[in-house]
Amino acid sequence: MTASISIVIPIYNEAAGLKAHLTGLQALRPDCEIIAVDGGSNDSSAAIALPLVDCLLGSPRGRARQMNAGAALARADIVLFLHADTVLPPQAPQTIRQALANGGVWGRFDLGFASAEPIFTVIAAMMNWRSRLTGIATGDQAIFVRRTAFEAVRGFPEIQLMEDIALSKLLKSLAPPCCLRAKVLTSARRWRQFGVLRTVIAMWVWRWRYFCGADPALLAAEYYKDS
């Protein structure tokens, strides 16, 4: 059976939660193929992923590079980019196929956080509203795209940060996004680690600086310095 969707997952030192994440995707196989791209982890991420994916490959670290490497090996007509700490909603493949069957080229899910704290409900609502208003998707929203369209824009620009925004801008030149109401759930770990208010402000500042022409490499150095 040929996979209808290729799920590309960039990983880097994700050992703590990777087995549970990939185990949750097993029910989607073989309708979906799972491709994990390791960016040089120094923990057991690659060993954990190996028996739970259809393809495991290595790549220089960086989400854009890793996702491009995975997409280059994708066999399906639709590619879904999924972060290692993001959980798909039920019936995600069917929802994606239906959206694209109605004339869509690319899209993303609404976002929710795996937390019951009200502040994260507010943050997610703001992110989803902003995405609908601007047509810009974040990587946490599980971007999906027809492989032909992804190839037409030459994939993710290989910058060290804001690759999701850069890809969205390219894909918007082909078609508006399909903004699905179904929600992916992503981890609130980083938000808690660095403080919710601090993270919100930092995200807005980094995005503004990027739109104003700041070097993504400089922004990435700031973003990852405490990771």
Side-chain angles (χ1 to χ4, degrees):
M1 179 178 179
T2 302
S4 63
I5 298 177
S6 296
I7 303 175
V8 176
I9 306 171
I11 58 175
Y12 180 76
N13 290 350
E14 301 285 352
L18 188 59
K19 183 175 182 179
H21 179 65
L22 294 177
T23 299
L25 296 175
Q26 298 308 299
L28 303 182
R29 301 166 77 187
D31 181 45
C32 298
E33 69 168 348
I34 304 174
I35 301 172
V37 189
D38 184 63
S41 297
N42 51 34
D43 64 4
S44 57
S45 292
I48 291 170
L50 185 58
L52 296 170
V53 299
D54 297 288
C55 179
L56 172 67
L57 65 150
S59 163
R61 184 184 177 188
R63 277 181 173 160
R65 289 181 177 181
Q66 290 172 244
M67 292 187 289
N68 282 342
L73 295 182
R75 294 177 296 170
D77 293 331
I78 302 168
V79 184
L80 167 64
F81 298 99
L82 183 66
H83 287 182
D85 60 356
T86 300
V87 178
L88 293 172
Q91 307 301 314
Q94 296 91 324
T95 304
I96 291 171
R97 288 195 296 266
Q98 182 177 2
L100 297 186
N102 292 332
V105 172
W106 71 288
R108 86 319 177 260
F109 291 89
D110 269 2
L111 175 72
F113 286 95
S115 171
E117 297 173 56
I119 184 62
F120 289 111
T121 301
V122 174
I123 292 171
M126 292 176 62
M127 293 174 69
N128 295 330
W129 173 81
R130 181 189 65 205
S131 178
R132 278 191 168 77
L133 181 66
T134 63
I136 298 294
T138 68
D140 287 332
Q141 292 175 301
I143 296 171
F144 55 88
V145 59
R146 291 189 181 278
R147 189 173 59 180
T148 52
F150 187 74
E151 292 170 350
V153 299
R154 300 185 178 183
F156 284 95
E158 294 195 350
I159 54 180
Q160 296 182 36
L161 197 67
M162 306 295 175
E163 75 286 338
D164 45 3
I165 294 176
L167 179 68
S168 294
K169 292 171 70 175
L170 292 171
L171 291 174
K172 278 178 61 179
S173 69
L174 302 180
C178 301
C179 298
L180 304 186
R181 294 285 183 183
K183 290 184 178 180
V184 293
L185 293 180
T186 194
S187 172
R189 176 189 57 82
R190 184 177 179 86
W191 298 74
R192 290 196 182 97
Q193 181 180 353
F194 299 105
V196 174
L197 181 59
R198 175 188 173 191
T199 303
V200 169
I201 294 173
M203 290 291 187
W204 278 100
V205 170
W206 283 323
R207 285 174 181 272
W208 175 251
R209 289 168 61 192
Y210 172 72
F211 281 119
C212 291
D215 183 355
L218 174 62
L219 299 179
E222 297 176 10
Y223 180 82
Y224 290 113
K225 68 179 179 180
D226 296 322
S227 297

